[in-house]
Amino acid sequence: MNKLIHIGFGNIVNADKIISIVSPDAAPVKRMVQKAREEGQSVDATQGRKTKAVLVMENGMVVLSALLPETICNRAISESENSQDEA
């Protein structure tokens, strides 16, 4: 079953499809986000807040979140542990 994690403001992504969760501060990440926006390959889940995390998905989509990368990572880890407990 797909593991869904909350990335803020009622937005949820499939944790199995996440390749990386990175901070948006580095110049290469900023370029990646800008290119994704230009190509229509980005999803802004910040609800107008400052972007604090960039999720790179398997299909090339880029998801912007207002939560810190550590917060999203901890949620993904706890979701993974919960699914292992159920198995």
Side-chain angles (χ1 to χ4, degrees):
M1 179 162 173
N2 295 333
K3 298 173 208 147
L4 303 175
I5 57 170
H6 184 258
I7 60 165
F9 306 107
N11 298 296
I12 299 170
V13 297
N14 185 348
D16 294 335
K17 303 293 182 182
I18 297 173
I19 293 177
S20 67
I21 305 170
V22 295
S23 173
D25 299 330
V29 178
K30 288 180 182 179
R31 285 192 298 268
M32 179 180 60
V33 169
Q34 185 59 39
K35 183 179 177 188
R37 281 187 175 147
E38 291 170 359
E39 295 175 354
Q41 293 291 308
S42 69
V43 176
D44 188 347
T46 62
Q47 302 293 330
R49 296 344 187 261
K50 181 179 181 206
T51 301
K52 294 183 182 174
V54 177
L55 290 78
V56 181
M57 309 303 283
E58 278 184 358
N59 62 358
M61 294 290 290
V62 173
V63 181
L64 309 177
S65 174
L67 296 182
L68 291 171
E70 294 83 14
T71 304
I72 298 170
C73 181
N74 290 336
R75 290 180 181 185
I77 290 170
S78 66
E79 179 64 33
S80 176
E81 289 172 353
N82 288 342
S83 66
Q84 289 176 355
D85 291 343
E86 293 173 2

